[in-house]
Amino acid sequence: MHLSLATWTEIEARLPRDAGIVIPIGSHEQHGPTGLIGTDALCPQIIADAAAKDADLLVGPTFSVGMAQHHMGFPGSMTLRPSTMIAAMVDWTMSLSRAGFRRLYWLNGHGGNVATINAAFAESYAAYSLRGEPAPFAHMLRNWWELPGIERLCLAEFPVGHGSHATPSEVAVTYAAYPERASLAQTVLSPIIAPTGPIRDAGDYRARFPDGRIGSDPTKATVEAGRRIIDAAAAALIAEAGGFFAEAGTGAPARIAAD
Ligand SMILES: [Zn+2]
């Protein structure tokens, strides 16, 4: 079930028995000449959508613009400053907590978000810690490619030129969901495998990585590989989020019978 497609009465009936929610979180930033700007928001959303088809998981709205200051040299990229993102995540948290959600599982699609997400977690807990009250909620962060077994699968699918930005894995996941965009993989890239190096400000990034990729050859991305990654990641998400939600006394998500 998706929060955006539920009614308030359905949510009230679900709480407090099922007090967990999965929140996809990502970024809108360039992903090289063959990757979609929304890749980092789309990947966790696609995986959460697939999981919600197989199990009774509640999926929240995608937090779709993240901390991407280093991508701002490429048109279409959008960023929140870390301070803005922390404030917005704390407001999302307090809104859900007020309703009675007690476990917030953030499925992340953008490595550049990690430091800010952890800062937002600390900010949301700090108000309770300083008052000497127990926080009524707990957060969990998981990068989708670090779900159990997924990094191994991605490297097995793309043993050469996987890289770290605009990777064939993440691009394949988006092509599987939007196959009408898969012909982008026919674009000729030079060099075939992009350079690697440190990440600093936006100007330095564009000078170092002129087409936006880091260490990757995303022209290897296919719809079929994307489907395999989505299926495996959705199953891993159901298992892991279910375990986290069970901490709050809520049952593991019931499997929905396949049709
Ligand atoms: Zn990405």
Side-chain angles (χ1 to χ4, degrees):
M1 181 187 272
H2 287 79
L3 185 65
S4 54
L5 300 177
T7 68
W8 74 263
T9 51
E10 287 170 328
I11 297 301
E12 189 169 77
R14 193 181 168 92
L15 292 166
R17 176 181 50 87
D18 287 311
I21 186 166
V22 174
I23 306 168
I25 184 166
S27 180
H28 271 62
E29 65 188 44
Q30 67 79 21
H31 269 72
T34 69
L36 309 183
I37 287 172
T39 297
D40 286 354
L42 291 168
C43 287
Q45 184 177 301
I46 291 162
I47 292 163
D49 284 352
K53 286 199 179 86
D54 287 341
D56 181 23
L57 276 184
L58 184 66
V59 177
T62 299
F63 194 105
S64 61
V65 175
M67 212 305 290
Q69 63 79 22
H70 46 297
H71 294 289
M72 295 310 292
F74 300 85
S77 299
M78 298 172 69
T79 193
L80 299 177
R81 284 169 291 166
S83 54
T84 316
M85 183 165 168
I86 291 167
M89 284 185 64
V90 170
D91 283 356
W92 283 43
T93 298
M94 294 309 167
S95 302
L96 293 166
S97 173
R98 187 191 191 289
F101 287 98
R102 288 184 287 151
R103 289 293 181 276
L104 280 59
Y105 181 107
W106 301 77
L107 185 64
N108 180 43
H110 175 45
N113 280 347
V114 169
T116 306
I117 291 172
N118 281 315
F121 290 178
E123 183 75 33
S124 68
Y125 293 138
Y128 297 92
S129 298
L130 289 167
R131 285 202 302 266
E133 293 171 15
F137 56 84
H139 294 290
M140 179 166 175
L141 167 63
R142 176 64 75 199
N143 298 322
W144 70 260
W145 60 91
E146 290 176 342
L147 281 163
I150 301 306
E151 203 152 34
R152 192 157 28 96
L153 172 61
C154 291
L155 290 172
E157 293 280 354
F158 305 108
V160 177
H162 189 274
S164 59
H165 182 67
T167 69
S169 301
E170 59 181 344
V171 171
V173 167
T174 64
Y175 288 175
Y178 300 96
E180 67 276 16
R181 300 300 280 149
S183 61
L184 284 165
Q186 291 158 21
T187 309
V188 176
L189 299 180
S190 179
I192 292 171
I193 296 178
T196 59
I199 296 174
R200 295 174 183 158
D201 70 295
D204 181 79
Y205 186 110
R206 183 144 181 177
R208 240 177 243 286
F209 314 111
D211 74 4
R213 299 172 293 144
I214 303 179
S216 68
D217 172 14
T219 64
K220 293 202 169 63
T222 63
V223 167
E224 294 71 26
R227 287 203 185 112
R228 288 190 287 274
I229 294 169
I230 292 167
D231 288 348
L237 171 60
I238 291 167
E240 187 170 80
F244 177 56
F245 296 165
E247 281 182 5
T250 68
R255 300 294 296 206
I256 296 170
D259 55 13

